[in-house]
Structure formats: C-alpha cells, structure tokens
Amino acid sequence: MKKFIVLASFVAIGFSTLAQTEQELKSEQAPLKSEISKLQGEVDAIQAKIDALPGWKYGAFGTVGLSLSSFDNWFAQGSPNVSTGNIGVTVNGFANLKEEKYFWRNALNVNLGWVKFDDKDDPADDDSFQAGSDVLNISSLYGRNITKNIAASGLMEYRTTLLNNFNNPGYLDAGLGATWTPLDNLVVVVHPLNYNFVFAENNTVFESSLGAKILVDYTRKLGAINFKSNVSAFQSYKSSDLSNITWVNSFGYTLWKKIGVGFEFGLRGNKQEVLNFGLENYDVMSMDPVPTFENLDNKLQTYYLLGLNYSI
C-alpha cells in the first residue's frame, strides 16, 4: 500500500510539473505571437503602398487537381477491371499597368480538364483521356481617369474553348463606357455601347448583336490567401436569347513555399449554347418537339475544381 501511495505521489508531481512547464511555455509564446501579428500588419501595410505605386504589376495563381486509380479483379464492383483518371488545371493571371492619368488591366483565365474511364474487359471501350472542362477567357481594359475613381474606358474580351471546338463558338466583346474603381482591388465596368461578335459554324443559332457589357472583378491577396471573383455579362438590345453571363470564383491558400490548396467554381448562362447542344443531340425519331429558344430548358452550366494550389 505504501509503495502504491509513493508511486501515485510521483505521478501527481510529474503531471503538476508538466502542467506548470506547459503553462510557462504558453506564457512565453503569447507575446511572440502578438509580435508576429504586429509585424504581419506592418508588412501588409507596406505591401499596400507598393501595390499603389505606378507601373506594371504581374501575378498568377491556379489549381491543379489529379486523381488516378486502377482496379484489377476487384469483384465487389460491377466492372472488376477498371482504370480511371481525372486531371484538372486552372490558371488565373494578370498584367496591370497603373499610371496617374490612365490604367491598362489585362487578365487571363484558363480551366482545362481531362477525364478517363477505361473498362479493361470491354475491347470497344475508349481507354484515352477525354476533354472535360474547357474554358479560355482573355480580357483587356484601358481607361483614362476622369476623377479619382471614375474613368472613360474601352474593353475587349474574348471567350472560347481550347481543347474542343476552338472558336466554335467564340465570343468577342468590344465596347466603350465607364469604369468605376471604388477600391484598389475592385473594378466595375459598365459599357452601354458594346458589340458582341459571335463566331460559330451554326449561324442559325449563334448571332452577333449590339448590347450592354457589365464586368465586375475583385482580386485580393491577404497574406497566404489569394482570391478572385469575376462576373462578365452581356445584355443584348436585340433579344434576351442572345445575352450571356459567366461568373468564376477562384480561391487559393498557400501552405508552404507558394504551394497550398485551391478551389475554383464557375457558373454560366448562355441560351445560344444550350440550343446548339440540343439541336446537335436531337433525335428525329423521338416524339419530342424540335428545340427552339421558346421551349428549351435553359439549364445553368457549372464546373468546379479542388486540388493543389500554386502562386507566382
């Protein structure tokens, strides 16, 4: 019994010493954390002054997603011998010039994806990677300052795909109007005079028209966080069927040496693309009516990619 009491006493003393030591270390750690936070605030303030200086600013970040798997004689599933893969890459780049009387902002967004599903027991199965997501967007905005936050501006924006059907369709917006920059990282473009050029083989569905262009872009870097949200919309004066909108959100969190985790999510509405797809896949033997702008189901187009993030 005495041995047990002595042993319990040593254990109690050990825990007490450990707790005391941990508390002392935390007490030493607290002011260091406070100092780091203060220094980070000073670094961010200096970086904000650097970003506000005239001249060119360049940068890029994106996400890489990769998933590969292979099953052999895995009889618990319907296809026991399968090879699958999913590869996705996004790039968000910019090159911006800021001067006292004018600015020139250039942006690039690319999202490419490949998907593979190979049933090894099916000789007719395609064992190659097929194009999945496919987005290319390039924009160039030039403005002459009227006031501190308002400028007369001109915009050109081109959108298409790279892997399949390049420039079929392709969209080129060219217009004039005004740009509002209430914050250094926020750009709001309103161009009531804009022509939307549409390039496509199917001219019965795709049509160019005059309309208004609205573009909102918010790009921010806060320490280890990169964030970009871009909305690009065209409202046709001829018909709402010729209008379109695209909204892309990109997020990156750096964990180690400009490598981290990233996520990109995109939304798109375009009746011309939906109708063209419906006509290309229409079964003339079915009892369904031929797709038109009036009867089509204008489904919202979406995509997302989650994976490793990089920044430059």
Side-chain angles (χ1 to χ4, degrees), residues 105-158:
R105 304 176 63 92
N106 304 278
L108 168 71
N109 172 252
V110 179
N111 184 313
L112 304 177
W114 296 265
V115 179
K116 170 185 175 180
F117 185 91
D118 175 27
D119 186 347
K120 302 175 184 178
D121 296 325
D122 183 0
D125 192 20
D126 190 348
D127 61 354
S128 63
F129 279 90
Q130 304 295 315
S133 58
D134 192 359
V135 178
L136 170 65
N137 189 311
I138 304 173
S139 65
S140 184
L141 173 69
Y142 178 83
R144 299 286 298 188
N145 296 326
I146 300 174
T147 66
K148 180 181 178 181
N149 302 116
I150 298 178
S153 56
L155 171 71
M156 293 190 70
E157 183 185 45
Y158 178 66

Side-chain angles (χ1 to χ4, degrees), residues 59-117:
F61 75 97
T63 302
V64 178
L66 175 63
S67 174
L68 300 173
S69 63
S70 179
F71 294 87
D72 292 295
N73 302 320
W74 197 261
F75 298 107
Q77 61 186 17
S79 301
N81 300 293
V82 175
S83 176
T84 66
N86 194 321
I87 303 172
V89 179
T90 70
V91 179
N92 292 283
F94 67 88
N96 298 333
L97 174 64
K98 183 179 180 180
E99 297 293 347
E100 182 180 356
K101 295 183 179 180
Y102 67 93
F103 60 82
W104 185 19
R105 304 176 63 92
N106 304 278
L108 168 71
N109 172 252
V110 179
N111 184 313
L112 304 177
W114 296 265
V115 179
K116 170 185 175 180
F117 185 91

Side-chain angles (χ1 to χ4, degrees), residues 20-292:
Q20 184 179 6
T21 303
E22 182 179 353
Q23 188 62 38
E24 290 174 353
L25 291 174
K26 286 184 176 181
S27 298
E28 295 177 11
Q29 186 186 56
L32 294 176
K33 284 186 174 181
S34 177
E35 189 66 23
I36 291 174
S37 178
K38 179 183 177 181
L39 291 174
Q40 186 61 53
E42 294 177 1
V43 170
D44 292 342
I46 295 173
Q47 185 61 50
K49 292 180 181 180
I50 294 174
D51 294 340
L53 292 175
W56 282 99
K57 299 291 188 301
Y58 306 92
F61 75 97
T63 302
V64 178
L66 175 63
S67 174
L68 300 173
S69 63
S70 179
F71 294 87
D72 292 295
N73 302 320
W74 197 261
F75 298 107
Q77 61 186 17
S79 301
N81 300 293
V82 175
S83 176
T84 66
N86 194 321
I87 303 172
V89 179
T90 70
V91 179
N92 292 283
F94 67 88
N96 298 333
L97 174 64
K98 183 179 180 180
E99 297 293 347
E100 182 180 356
K101 295 183 179 180
Y102 67 93
F103 60 82
W104 185 19
R105 304 176 63 92
N106 304 278
L108 168 71
N109 172 252
V110 179
N111 184 313
L112 304 177
W114 296 265
V115 179
K116 170 185 175 180
F117 185 91
D118 175 27
D119 186 347
K120 302 175 184 178
D121 296 325
D122 183 0
D125 192 20
D126 190 348
D127 61 354
S128 63
F129 279 90
Q130 304 295 315
S133 58
D134 192 359
V135 178
L136 170 65
N137 189 311
I138 304 173
S139 65
S140 184
L141 173 69
Y142 178 83
R144 299 286 298 188
N145 296 326
I146 300 174
T147 66
K148 180 181 178 181
N149 302 116
I150 298 178
S153 56
L155 171 71
M156 293 190 70
E157 183 185 45
Y158 178 66
R159 305 182 308 281
T160 186
T161 56
L162 278 175
L163 303 178
N164 287 321
N165 303 321
F166 176 73
N167 204 40
N168 182 34
Y171 305 90
L172 175 64
D173 281 297
L176 300 171
T179 295
W180 179 42
T181 53
L183 303 172
D184 290 337
N185 305 299
L186 177 62
V187 178
V188 181
V189 179
V190 180
H191 286 178
L193 183 61
N194 183 92
Y195 199 82
N196 180 237
F197 297 92
V198 183
F199 311 101
E201 295 178 358
N202 190 351
N203 294 325
T204 60
V205 174
F206 294 98
E207 183 179 352
S208 303
S209 64
L210 182 69
K213 181 72 175 182
I214 297 175
L215 187 146
V216 180
D217 184 274
Y218 182 75
T219 304
R220 190 73 185 270
K221 178 176 175 61
L222 289 173
I225 299 174
N226 285 294
F227 177 75
K228 180 180 178 66
S229 182
N230 182 280
V231 179
S232 177
F234 170 73
Q235 178 61 51
S236 174
Y237 294 146
K238 184 175 182 179
S239 171
S240 61
D241 295 332
L242 306 180
S243 303
N244 60 74
I245 182 171
T246 302
W247 184 19
V248 178
N249 298 279
S250 304
F251 172 85
Y253 184 78
T254 303
L255 297 173
W256 177 75
K257 291 186 177 181
K258 298 187 177 183
I259 301 296
V261 62
F263 178 73
E264 180 165 304
F265 178 64
L267 301 172
R268 185 181 181 88
N270 191 314
K271 283 189 175 181
Q272 295 180 90
E273 292 178 348
V274 175
L275 178 57
N276 183 63
F277 181 82
L279 291 173
E280 288 183 347
N281 294 273
Y282 177 68
D283 184 1
V284 294
M285 301 300 293
S286 70
M287 300 299 292
D288 298 328
V290 178
T292 65

Side-chain angles (χ1 to χ4, degrees), residues 4-24:
F4 177 76
I5 293 174
V6 172
L7 179 61
S9 299
F10 276 113
V11 172
I13 292 172
F15 275 115
S16 176
T17 303
L18 179 62
Q20 184 179 6
T21 303
E22 182 179 353
Q23 188 62 38
E24 290 174 353

